[in-house]
Amino acid sequence: MAAREWRFADVAVTPTAKEFDGIYRGKKQHENDFDAVLERASVAGVSKVMLTGMSLSDVDFILDIVRSRPQQCSMTIGVHPYNAAEPDKDPKYLANLSDRINQVLQETPRFLSAFGELGLDYDRLVHASTEVQIRTFKAQLELFVKEQWDLPLFLHCRAACQDFIEVLKPYVSLLPRGGLVHSFVGSKDEMLSLVDMGHHISVNGFSFQDPESLEMVRAIPLDSLQLETDAPWGYIPPNSELAKKYPAPVALPASKKRDKFERGLMVKERNESCAIGQVGSIVAGLKGLSIDEVVQAAWVNSNSMFRLAEDVGAR
């Protein structure tokens, strides 16, 4: 498969992130340029982009984007662990969430690819305590089972694998399309436990930051692997050791610093979908495989789980 024929599915991009609205550390530096981000992704062979929902308030904003680019984009709907306290403030929150999901499921073409992002994150307990996160995680799983949605789960697990597995385990047999544990950073044993439960694992720049995670990436079964950028986060510096050892297959577009913003150019050090080739190259290098093998496997896995395209497995 030649580089120009590669097709990527970036299964994690957060369009509501402040960085795409030009806000960095509370200061507005430039206009929203997410349309240009998606265009650069398309040019780079990223034919499918899954836009991550983090709360009920994200739904309309993301849905408008998906409606404007239905061939390229789809979305997830759920409550991220950072937003886990929101249902406690509104007794109708989960019912409203359910209503919105059912409404979006009626749209044609099918815009909703997964239920989530949901799970646990003990790295940032400032957003919600462990107790609140677990309660909201369980409540969403109960809602999912009750509604019998024919969707995979889009899952988040950070520094919480033991509790994550314990909460999720009773529901595994009730998941019609399994789940993806995205942006995974953890040990090889933790990853294998998740795969044994039937889940896929997706990786990005955060997954390459320490020896334990590198060992984990090497061990991900190819039929359980997916790729993502987690843009605008997860930036991989081109001068990093791994990027120099396993360079991106195609050079990125030109970039400028955020305070020198120029529409049509990337923002320096802000991650984008068009950089997913670098993720694929590092994964291939770590696993001792060709980038062709990794890109094709991830494409098939993502399309099969999330039903992003009709030509699953096509080259």
Side-chain angles (χ1 to χ4, degrees), residues 23-56:
I23 300 172
Y24 306 84
R25 297 183 179 180
K27 184 178 180 181
K28 180 83 170 180
Q29 299 275 14
H30 60 79
E31 65 193 50
N32 189 297
D33 68 332
F34 194 67
D35 57 339
V37 169
L38 290 174
E39 190 56 38
R40 282 190 288 271
S42 181
V43 170
V46 188
S47 57
K48 300 296 177 182
V49 180
M50 201 158 73
L51 305 180
T52 306
M54 297 182 70
S55 72
L56 180 58

Side-chain angles (χ1 to χ4, degrees), residues 74-289:
S74 66
M75 66 189 294
T76 77
I77 299 176
V79 185
H80 190 284
Y82 292 176
N83 302 84
E86 291 182 8
D88 289 344
K89 301 172 185 177
D90 179 1
K92 296 182 179 180
Y93 189 100
L94 290 177
N96 291 336
L97 182 73
S98 179
D99 288 345
R100 291 300 283 124
I101 290 172
N102 286 322
Q103 290 166 10
V104 175
L105 283 171
Q106 297 304 310
E107 300 241 3
T108 303
R110 182 172 41 81
F111 296 141
L112 185 60
S113 290
F115 179 57
E117 182 171 354
L118 72 162
L120 302 174
D121 189 318
Y122 293 174
D123 268 353
R124 300 283 181 88
L125 293 176
V126 63
H127 297 292
S129 68
T130 58
E131 293 81 6
V132 168
Q133 289 189 36
I134 290 172
R135 181 165 65 249
T136 297
F137 188 18
K138 287 181 177 179
Q140 289 187 89
L141 291 168
E142 288 292 331
L143 179 65
F144 182 82
V145 171
K146 175 186 174 185
E147 293 288 340
Q148 296 184 316
W149 289 314
D150 184 26
L151 294 166
L153 299 184
F154 187 75
L155 295 158
H156 182 107
C157 177
R158 187 66 56 86
C161 201
Q162 183 175 346
D163 284 356
F164 179 85
I165 289 173
E166 286 304 310
V167 171
L168 194 54
K169 190 181 298 183
Y171 298 92
V172 169
S173 64
L174 304 175
L175 306 179
R177 304 189 65 82
L180 172 72
V181 185
H182 105 99
S183 189
F184 189 66
V185 177
S187 70
K188 172 183 174 181
D189 288 344
E190 289 173 337
M191 177 275 295
L192 291 174
S193 293
L194 294 168
V195 169
D196 286 345
M197 294 173 71
H199 302 306
H200 284 194
I201 307 293
S202 66
V203 298
N204 54 41
F206 293 119
S207 309
F208 309 139
Q209 293 183 348
D210 60 63
E212 183 179 56
S213 290
L214 293 179
E215 180 188 30
M216 179 274 296
V217 173
R218 290 187 185 98
I220 299 173
L222 205 55
D223 60 1
S224 300
L225 171 71
Q226 297 192 38
L227 301 178
E228 60 170 82
T229 59
D230 204 25
W233 312 293
Y235 174 72
I236 302 173
N239 61 349
S240 66
E241 181 180 346
L242 283 173
K244 288 190 290 186
K245 187 174 182 180
Y246 309 117
V250 179
L252 291 177
S255 65
K256 282 194 173 183
K257 293 182 179 179
R258 61 192 68 160
D259 60 343
K260 305 290 185 182
F261 175 79
E262 183 176 329
R263 191 161 189 86
L265 301 184
M266 292 182 69
V267 176
K268 196 174 184 65
E269 298 183 355
R270 184 189 69 179
N271 201 14
E272 291 191 14
S273 276
C274 65
I276 198 170
Q278 179 66 87
V279 178
S281 181
I282 292 174
V283 171
L286 291 173
K287 295 179 75 63
L289 300 172

